[in-house]
């Protein structure tokens, strides 16, 4: 028996060290992964310098960088950026409010689900970017159709993921909560909503991706300000350098929001770290 | 039919539960006195969990009389902790009118897990999670504690430690206990009374009038009897 006793005693000791999970080791960035991207940029520059790639088809990296600096210095880039950012922000907030509210309603009440879910499921089969003509007819060509388009792109993925996240709540956990005497409000707050969070974050990522896409499409169709306007203007004057700068800004915005969501996921889902 | 004075923690008469055309519980009678420790044995599918769910108030689609006047707490076969709440919150959630944190830490100390109050449930070992689940059930100071094979998934050594723990906690708090188990030894070591459920029916009942803590040697005869009730001729362990 003495052997097994030490076996029993040894367990808690190792377990006690566990509440502080060892800090995740960050791997040093693998510099080799930069070889081919840098080579491609150099190749691009070489093709431009030797005239293989004419500037009215694609400006050289150096020209693009210079254009970026010029646009930034005279404030044009900043103001265009602000206009586009505001469109996305307003559209996102409106769409998120609608998507989350409807998702909660449908997820938490059977009756609301019966009423809300069928039309939403039907509408989501419409490709929302195809709604532009209607939105222009309804809202004119100002900010409203762009914001409406972005809001639509945001609302659907959030609704669908929040709703299904709520529906996927583990019935065993709900049952346990009931035995333990949780009120309905406590069950929603501590069981249902937290278990829907991971799925909702997936929806958030999709929603942000769609928001940027909607912005770009809406700004291509008509815009008197913003990054899209900058790009369209540049096209008329064959300024491919400015076009590329605009595209890079779009990409940068997308990357930034993605990083924000990933940061949010790490924070909100820290209970998942084993 | 109703007793004018309710002395028992659990009183069940003629309980019948049907799923579709299958009668999983047939005309079950069950009494558990306050503070009594009862073990419920039976093969897989004999209706043990079904009975327990009825007693816990989770299943009301039954015929018969079910009377559980006091407060009930359950520890399930799986710990069923909320992975997104820290261990101490899991223990204290649903409690009212107390300092949840202090109460939870005290209950965790009783199951030797005070140091894990701040941990996330997913970082616990199986045995630790099961002990948290036990602490969560006990912290409600229930009149009736229902345990559905709470040690089923644990290794033999941890089970031994858990038996001692349950016995100690029961001694301290004295709830009426219904312990569902597959393990005859476990039942005989812990319970005042061992019931055998077969095919939805309580077929036998054994009193275990032995002083605690019990050692396995004194249980040999009873063990053979109970195993016979369960339809096991040859001792396998
Ligand atoms: N919700 C349900 N619907 C249909 N049949 C059910 C349901 N719940 C239980 N049963 C059936 O009732 C029978 C008894 O189930 P129960 O879970 O009570 O068995 P048990 O004695 O706890 O078995 P085990 O020891 O394997 O846990 C099983 O045959 C099961 O299939
Ligand atoms: Mg069972």
């Amino acid at each position: 028996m003495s052997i097994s006793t030490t076996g029993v005693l040894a367990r808690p000791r190792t377990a006690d060290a566990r509440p502080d999970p060892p800090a995740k080791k960050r791997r040093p960035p693998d510099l080799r992964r930069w070889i081919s991207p840098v080579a491609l940029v150099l190749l691009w520059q070489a093709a431009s310098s030797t005239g293989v790639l004419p500037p009215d088809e694609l400006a050289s990296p150096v020209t693009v960088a210079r254009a970026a600096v010029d646009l930034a210095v005279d404030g044009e880039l900043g103001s265009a950026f602000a206009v586009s950012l505001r469109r996305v922000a307003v559209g996102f907030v409106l769409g998120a409010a609608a998507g989350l509210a409807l998702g909660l309603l449908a997820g938490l009440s059977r009756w609301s689900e019966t009423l809300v879910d069928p039309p939403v499921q039907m509408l989501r089969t419409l490709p929302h970017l195809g709604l532009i003509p209607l939105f222009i007819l309804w809202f004119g060509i100002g900010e409203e159709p762009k914001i409406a388009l972005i809001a639509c792109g945001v609302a659907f993925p959030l609704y669908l993921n929040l709703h299904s996240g709520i529906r996927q709540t583990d019935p065993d956990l709900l049952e346990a909560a009931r035995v333990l005497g949780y009120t309905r409000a406590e069950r929603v707050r501590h069981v249902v909503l937290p278990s829907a969070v991971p799925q909702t974050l997936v929806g958030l990522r999709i929603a942000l991706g769609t928001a940027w896409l909607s912005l770009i499409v809406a700004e291509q169709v008509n815009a008197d300000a913003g990054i899209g306007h900058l790009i369209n203007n540049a096209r008329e004057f064959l300024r491919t350098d400015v076009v590329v700068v605009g595209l890079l800004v779009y990409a940068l915005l997308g990357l930034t929001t993605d990083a924000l969501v990933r940061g949010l996921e790490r924070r909100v889902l820290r209970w998942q770290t084993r | 039919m109703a007793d004018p004075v309710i002395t028992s923690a659990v009183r069940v008469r003629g309980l019948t539960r049907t799923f579709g055309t299958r009668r999983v519980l047939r005309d079950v009678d069950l009494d558990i006195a306050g503070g009594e420790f009862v073990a419920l044995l039976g093969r897989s599918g004999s209706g043990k969990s079904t009975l327990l769910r009825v007693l816990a108030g989770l299943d009301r689609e039954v015929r018969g009389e079910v009377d559980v006047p006091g407060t009930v707490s359950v520890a399930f076969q799986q710990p069923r902790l909320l992975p997104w709440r820290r261990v101490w919150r899991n223990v204290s959630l649903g409690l009212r009118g107390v300092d949840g944190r202090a109460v939870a830490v005290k209950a965790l100390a009783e199951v030797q897990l005070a140091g894990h109050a701040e941990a996330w449930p997913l970082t616990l070992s199986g045995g630790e999670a099961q002990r948290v689940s036990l602490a969560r059930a006990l912290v409600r100071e229930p009149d009736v504690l229902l345990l559905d094979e709470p040690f089923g998934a644990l290794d033999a050594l941890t089970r031994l430690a858990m038996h001692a723990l349950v016995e100690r906690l029961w001694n301290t708090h004295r709830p009426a206990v219904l312990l569902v188990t597959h393990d005859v030894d476990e039942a005989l070591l812990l319970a005042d009374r061992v019931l055998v459920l077969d095919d939805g029916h309580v077929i036998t009942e054994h009193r275990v009038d032995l002083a605690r803590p019990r050692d396995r040697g004194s249980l040999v005869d009873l063990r053979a009897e109970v195993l016979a009730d369960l339809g096991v001729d040859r001792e396998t362990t």
Side-chain angles (χ1 to χ4, degrees):
Chain A
M1 202 54 198
S2 63
I3 295 170
S4 41
T5 309
T6 50
V8 172
L9 285 177
R11 283 179 66 91
R13 210 171 300 151
T14 50
D16 277 341
R18 238 182 288 177
D20 305 312
K24 257 196 208 142
K25 266 191 214 147
R26 248 170 216 263
R27 251 187 302 154
D30 188 350
L31 293 179
R32 284 171 308 177
R33 293 183 59 80
W34 284 98
I35 294 176
S36 45
V38 170
L40 281 175
V41 173
L42 289 178
L43 203 65
W44 172 13
Q45 180 64 47
S48 298
S49 306
T50 55
V52 176
L53 198 57
D56 52 357
E57 278 176 25
L58 190 62
S60 75
V62 172
T63 324
V64 170
R66 209 176 294 135
V69 172
D70 289 347
L71 287 169
V73 168
D74 74 8
E76 210 179 331
L77 193 59
S79 54
F81 176 79
V83 168
S84 290
L85 193 65
R86 188 178 159 277
R87 284 179 188 142
V88 175
V90 174
F92 178 84
V93 167
L94 291 177
L100 293 177
L102 289 176
L104 277 179
L105 214 61
L108 296 179
S109 131
R110 287 279 169 197
W111 247 112
S112 314
E113 181 177 31
T114 315
L115 295 177
V116 170
D117 201 47
V120 177
Q121 297 290 349
M122 288 173 203
L123 284 176
R124 87 184 177 106
T125 59
L126 292 179
H128 86 285
L129 293 178
L131 294 175
I132 294 184
L134 275 182
F135 283 177
I136 291 178
L137 285 177
W138 294 344
F139 302 116
I141 53 164
E143 290 298 291
E144 292 90 344
K146 300 180 187 64
I147 289 173
L149 195 71
I150 294 164
C152 273
V154 168
F156 283 94
L158 278 179
Y159 169 87
L160 294 169
N161 285 284
L162 174 58
H163 179 220
S164 89
I166 289 177
R167 282 277 163 258
Q168 279 164 20
T169 306
D170 182 354
D172 283 355
L173 287 184
L174 279 174
E175 193 178 86
R178 213 137 41 92
V179 184
L180 294 167
Y182 290 27
T183 59
R184 179 172 158 79
E186 282 173 328
R187 289 206 298 276
V188 169
R189 179 164 158 227
H190 298 295
V191 186
V192 176
L193 293 183
S195 74
V197 165
Q199 184 76 44
T200 309
L201 284 171
V202 172
L204 178 63
R205 260 192 206 221
I206 301 173
L208 284 169
T210 327
W212 291 120
L213 204 64
S214 310
L215 173 79
I216 295 167
V217 171
E219 291 191 338
Q220 284 304 305
V221 173
N222 70 81
D224 45 15
I227 301 288
H229 175 67
L230 195 76
I231 291 177
N232 279 344
N233 245 6
R235 189 197 59 210
E236 282 173 25
F237 298 100
L238 298 181
R239 290 285 304 273
T240 53
D241 52 346
V242 177
V243 172
V244 173
V245 170
L247 291 177
L248 288 177
V249 172
Y250 278 144
L252 215 63
L253 282 171
L255 284 177
T256 311
T257 44
D258 214 51
L260 285 177
V261 176
R262 245 176 293 138
L264 185 71
E265 276 177 355
R266 258 201 305 278
R267 248 198 81 70
V268 178
L269 301 182
R270 63 196 193 286
W271 54 268
Q272 285 183 340
T273 54
R274 279 168 189 267
Chain B
M1 281 287 282
D3 249 330
V5 187
I6 300 162
T7 49
S8 50
V10 172
R11 186 171 181 282
V12 172
R13 290 290 176 273
L15 171 64
T16 298
R17 176 57 160 116
T18 318
F19 291 113
T21 55
R22 264 202 75 204
R23 292 169 89 197
V24 172
L25 295 175
R26 295 183 295 130
D27 215 17
V28 172
D29 294 348
L30 173 67
D31 284 285
I32 303 178
E36 191 185 16
F37 200 129
V38 175
L40 183 64
L41 282 168
R43 318 155 174 265
S44 187
S46 57
K48 303 183 297 294
S49 296
T50 306
L51 175 59
L52 190 120
R53 286 171 47 83
V54 171
L55 297 182
L58 289 168
D59 181 357
R60 298 186 193 280
E61 289 169 36
V62 294
R63 271 192 290 122
E65 218 184 289
V66 179
D67 197 8
V68 186
T71 54
V72 179
S73 230
V74 185
F76 299 93
Q77 179 160 11
Q78 303 301 324
R80 300 197 189 179
L81 304 176
L82 303 175
W84 41 79
R85 293 287 180 263
R86 291 188 188 272
V87 162
W88 74 266
R89 291 271 278 162
N90 264 284
V91 173
S92 70
L93 267 173
L95 289 177
R96 269 158 256 294
V98 291
D99 174 1
R101 204 192 142 95
V103 173
V105 169
K106 188 158 160 272
L108 284 168
E110 280 195 291
V111 296
Q112 279 101 47
L113 285 175
H116 289 64
E118 292 295 337
W120 296 110
L122 289 179
T123 65
L124 300 176
S125 74
E128 289 165 346
Q130 204 52 261
R131 279 185 281 160
V132 173
S133 160
L134 207 55
R136 180 177 68 174
L138 281 166
V139 82
R140 281 138 233 279
E141 299 184 348
D143 300 315
V144 181
L145 178 61
L146 304 173
L147 305 172
D148 193 356
E149 300 184 45
F151 321 128
L154 304 182
D155 65 274
L157 287 174
T158 316
R159 276 171 92 103
L160 289 182
M162 292 291 275
H163 291 164
L165 176 66
V166 165
E167 187 159 53
R168 207 186 69 232
L169 293 174
W170 173 69
N171 262 321
T172 325
H173 302 278
R174 282 288 162 167
V177 176
L178 182 67
L179 168 69
V180 168
T181 175
H182 279 135
D183 183 341
V184 177
D185 288 330
E186 185 170 290
L188 294 174
L189 278 171
L190 294 171
D192 298 315
R193 206 149 47 96
V194 176
L195 306 178
V196 177
L197 194 66
D198 188 39
D199 200 17
H201 218 71
V202 179
I203 53 164
T204 42
E205 171 177 333
H206 297 269
R207 282 212 160 272
V208 190
D209 287 319
L210 295 169
R212 292 185 172 86
R214 297 165 181 160
D215 72 274
R216 277 150 205 272
S218 61
L219 299 171
V220 175
D221 294 346
L222 257 176
R223 185 163 183 270
E225 273 180 48
V226 175
L227 283 171
D229 290 338
L230 286 164
V232 183
D233 313 317
R234 203 163 39 88
E235 294 199 8
T236 45
T237 35

